[in-house]
Amino acid sequence: MAGLRILITNRSLAARGGSETYVRDLAVGLVRRGHTPIAYSTRLGDMAAELRAATVPVIDDLGLVGAPPDLIHGQHHLEAMTALLRFPRVPAVFVCHGWLPWEEAPPRFPRILRYVAVDWTCRDRLLFEHGIPEETIRVLLNAVDLERFAQIGQRIRPQCLHLQFGNGLLNLGAPS
């Protein structure tokens, strides 16, 4: 069986940021597993070029997609809704990456079958501020590419260890 075509939406792919890095890591991981991710944003730049270098198609016009995706992985309200309206038979998941930004407000739409929060704070936003039914929300903490960070860790020994979980930073002090 061939892999799935997955359209990933994001507000911007111009520079490195949190959701942009998430898109890159997700898309590269999907390619490794035999799927075809397609990244969509109306703002393209360095991150879009990095995705293209990893053989991920990147578009700023949904009219360029010649075959509908099997799934929409929606991030950011306007971009997710644009994709849902362009592909009227395609189901979607919506991922909330932040507590405050208006772009992270989840659209209420019948073809969004699951809402994903990257931490418990984002889950609370979906549940208590936007009325998303609890049974449709899943918390999937951001992943870490252990192969990528193992390479960095071999070259750099930090003076102080910091871990970021969701939207917070935890200082664990100097390594022993």
Side-chain angles (χ1 to χ4, degrees):
M1 177 177 151
L4 297 173
R5 288 188 301 255
I6 302 168
L7 178 64
I8 305 168
T9 70
N10 206 65
R11 182 170 181 256
S12 175
L13 292 172
R16 290 179 188 270
S19 67
E20 293 83 358
T21 303
Y22 181 95
V23 168
R24 182 206 54 213
D25 292 348
L26 174 63
V28 169
L30 288 169
V31 167
R32 286 183 192 149
R33 288 164 181 81
H35 301 291
T36 304
I38 305 152
Y40 165 69
S41 178
T42 57
R43 300 174 187 176
L44 304 181
D46 290 344
M47 190 57 79
E50 191 172 328
L51 282 161
R52 282 192 182 108
T55 71
V56 175
V58 179
I59 55 169
D60 60 2
D61 177 356
L62 291 172
L64 298 174
V65 179
D70 298 304
L71 177 69
I72 296 168
H73 177 282
Q75 298 183 170
H76 302 126
H77 188 105
L78 295 178
E79 292 73 17
M81 283 307 302
T82 301
L84 281 160
L85 294 173
R86 171 64 178 88
F87 300 105
R89 290 181 171 76
V90 178
V93 298
F94 182 83
V95 180
C96 177
H97 290 272
W99 174 256
L100 292 176
W102 70 266
E103 298 91 347
E104 301 290 350
R108 304 279 309 255
F109 201 74
R111 283 187 289 114
I112 300 176
L113 304 180
R114 286 280 183 262
Y115 292 83
V116 177
V118 300
D119 59 29
W120 293 97
T121 303
C122 290
R123 174 201 171 269
D124 288 350
R125 178 181 187 177
L126 295 172
L127 183 62
F128 300 121
E129 290 193 349
H130 295 283
I132 303 300
E134 189 168 24
E135 63 273 9
T136 66
I137 301 171
R138 299 291 181 270
V139 175
L140 295 176
L141 301 175
N142 284 329
V144 174
D145 184 343
L146 295 176
E147 290 178 19
R148 183 180 195 154
F149 284 97
Q151 295 168 3
I152 293 171
Q154 292 170 2
R155 294 182 301 216
I156 300 171
R157 181 168 171 91
Q159 295 303 312
C160 188
L161 180 62
H162 296 278
L163 296 176
Q164 182 157 352
F165 293 101
N167 294 321
L169 185 65
L170 176 64
N171 182 346
L172 299 179
S176 55

